[in-house]
């Protein structure tokens, strides 16, 4: 599936090179599995959203590397694409920009003709690509305008999508200057958060003039390093990050027209199971190595096994449940 990344420092302007380029599971590293496009969004000194995107894999995109290493911001949204809908064009690459907000998404939403019908001609006008993601953003943007509040607009839009459209997943990131919203809906695709008190911070050397890394809320589709503080968002959890303050909301019912993998096209299904397939490959490779090691050392004495380092399986981060952000619960999936 596509991969999402978001970060908020609550004010200090930093670079995002560590998470985007240098971390063990950086977005650039992930792009070897999601090669159909990459983009990075940030906010200028005046608070305007800026983004650079291209239908190239992040690992072969010099501009992605350049901006990751040099652009300072307090809020970032980035995305690497594994295409399920739409051609490999710049207009289908995330993040999208509407009404001073950045948006990125992974998942599949069907019933796009119905979704278009919910929008006026003016609300459809910013949509330049072919993806379900951009139409979802246009509808979320319309509901935010109608309600005059970003959180209320997101809740209303996702509630209606979940009630009336066929949904596999609506995992999304929305950013305003200094504020970030992250949604995992329902449980089909993962979304993780690393809070400042659990190790969330800018990377070494990413904060100009600072003594060390700057505390930050980091959000990603998969843990990007081996810190144990990564927490998997609950299904249906909307995490609101205002500066460094995190609030979890649970306002959604399960999708009424839930799509299974068998309901997806071959292209859609392939784009949504890349992580699972890769995990199976890793587990198989590790089992082969372990079997070879057992065969090589079977019946051997201590001298034969001296210096042999036991193999470790794929990293499985601990999910800490004891210090979650303040939660306001309604119906939960």
């Amino acid at each position: 599936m596509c991969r999402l990344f978001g970060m908020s420092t609550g004010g200090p302007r930093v670079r995002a090179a560590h998470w985007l380029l240098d971390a063990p599971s950086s977005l650039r590293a992930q792009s070897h599995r999601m090669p159909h496009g990459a983009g990075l969004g940030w906010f200028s000194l005046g608070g305007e959203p800026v983004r650079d995107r291209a239908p190239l894999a992040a690992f072969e995109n010099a501009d992605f590397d350049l901006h990751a290493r040099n652009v300072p911001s307090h809020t970032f949204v980035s995305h690497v694409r594994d295409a399920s809908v739409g051609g490999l064009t710049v207009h289908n690459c995330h993040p999208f920009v509407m009404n001073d907000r950045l948006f990125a998404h992974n998942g599949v939403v069907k019933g796009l003709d119905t979704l278009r019908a919910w929008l006026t001609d003016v609300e459809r006008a910013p949509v330049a690509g072919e993806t379900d993601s951009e139409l979802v953003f246009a509808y979320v943007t319309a509901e935010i305008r109608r309600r005059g509040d970003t959180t209320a607009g997101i809740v209303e839009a996702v509630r209606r999508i979940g009630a009336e459209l066929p949904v596999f997943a609506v995992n999304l990131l929305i950013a305003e200057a200094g504020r970030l919203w992250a949604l995992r809906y329902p449980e089909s695709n993962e979304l993780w958060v690393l809070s400042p008190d659990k190790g969330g911070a800018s990377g070494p050397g990413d904060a100009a003039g600072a003594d060390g890394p700057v505390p930050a809320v980091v959000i990603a589709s998969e843990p990007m390093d081996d810190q144990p503080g990564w927490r998997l968002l609950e299904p249906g959890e909307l995490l609101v990050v205002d500066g460094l303050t995190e609030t979890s909301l649970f306002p959604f019912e399960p999708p009424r027209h839930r799509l299974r993998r068998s309901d997806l096209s071959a292209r859609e299904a392939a784009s949504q199971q890349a992580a699972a397939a890769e995990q199976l490959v890793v587990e198989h490779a590790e089992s082969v190595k372990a079997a070879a090691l057992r065969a090589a050392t079977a019946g051997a004495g201590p001298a034969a096994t001296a210096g042999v380092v036991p193999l470790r399986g794929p990293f499985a981060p601990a999910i800490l449940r004891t210090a979650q952000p303040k939660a306001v619960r309604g119906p939960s999936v």
Side-chain angles (χ1 to χ4, degrees):
M1 64 179 181
C2 303
R3 289 297 193 266
L4 303 172
F5 168 81
M7 184 168 74
S8 172
T9 68
R13 302 183 75 85
V14 300
R15 292 176 289 272
H18 172 71
W19 298 111
L20 297 177
L21 304 176
D22 302 328
S25 185
S26 69
L27 217 60
R28 180 170 61 183
Q30 295 173 38
S31 74
H32 286 270
R33 293 174 273 128
M34 289 83 197
H36 299 146
L40 174 61
W42 64 91
F43 288 85
S44 70
L45 290 172
E48 297 88 4
V50 184
R51 51 90 191 270
D52 185 79
R53 55 185 181 155
L56 297 172
F59 71 86
E60 59 183 4
N61 187 340
D63 286 341
F64 185 87
D65 188 290
L66 180 69
H67 289 123
R69 294 206 182 279
N70 293 288
V71 170
S73 182
H74 43 59
T75 312
F76 292 92
V77 171
S78 191
H79 181 276
V80 291
R81 186 178 183 225
D82 188 3
S84 60
V85 177
L88 304 187
T89 70
V90 67
H91 294 301
N92 291 331
C93 294
H94 309 220
F96 303 103
V97 173
M98 294 182 195
N99 288 27
D100 292 331
R101 296 182 189 92
L102 295 164
F103 174 91
H105 162 257
N106 73 31
V108 175
V109 176
K110 291 183 176 288
L112 300 188
D113 288 341
T114 300
L115 183 52
R116 288 187 189 94
W118 296 349
L119 301 168
T120 67
D121 290 343
V122 171
E123 291 164 349
R124 283 193 299 269
V127 178
E130 310 158 89
T131 64
D132 53 346
S133 302
E134 193 175 15
L135 273 175
V136 167
F137 186 27
Y139 181 56
V140 170
T141 299
E143 290 295 348
I144 291 171
R145 181 187 56 79
R146 290 165 192 160
R147 278 151 185 77
D149 178 81
T150 302
T151 302
I154 294 171
V155 169
E156 180 58 31
V158 174
R159 277 177 172 168
R160 188 176 186 188
I161 289 170
E164 300 187 32
L165 298 182
V167 169
F168 180 76
V170 185
N171 279 17
L172 58 81
L173 288 177
I174 294 178
E176 298 173 354
R179 302 178 75 195
L180 195 60
W181 289 260
L183 172 65
R184 181 188 179 205
Y185 181 74
E187 73 278 1
S188 309
N189 294 340
E190 295 183 350
L191 195 59
W192 297 76
V193 60
L194 185 63
S195 301
D197 60 340
K198 303 299 181 184
S202 64
D206 281 349
D211 293 334
V214 171
V217 179
V218 182
I219 297 166
S221 294
E222 62 183 72
M224 303 177 85
D225 62 14
D226 61 359
Q227 294 189 74
W230 287 97
R231 178 179 72 85
L232 180 62
L233 296 189
E234 299 288 344
E237 181 175 354
L238 176 62
L239 181 67
V240 183
V241 182
D242 189 350
L244 292 178
T245 301
E246 302 172 41
T247 303
S248 287
L249 308 175
F250 296 83
F252 306 112
E253 298 288 348
R256 190 171 297 170
H257 308 286
R258 174 72 179 274
L259 293 172
R260 305 296 177 182
R261 292 189 189 277
S262 59
D263 299 318
L264 304 179
S265 69
R267 184 181 179 190
E268 291 166 343
S271 74
Q272 297 305 303
Q273 62 187 7
E278 186 209 31
Q279 185 69 12
L280 289 174
V281 170
V282 171
E283 290 174 357
H284 176 69
E286 294 291 353
S287 67
V288 169
K289 290 179 183 177
L293 180 62
R294 286 194 298 270
T297 58
T305 56
V308 175
V309 179
L311 290 170
R312 298 178 62 190
F315 166 64
I319 303 173
L320 302 185
R321 303 291 186 187
T322 57
Q324 296 189 15
K326 176 184 177 183
V328 181
R329 285 189 175 268
S332 177
V333 297

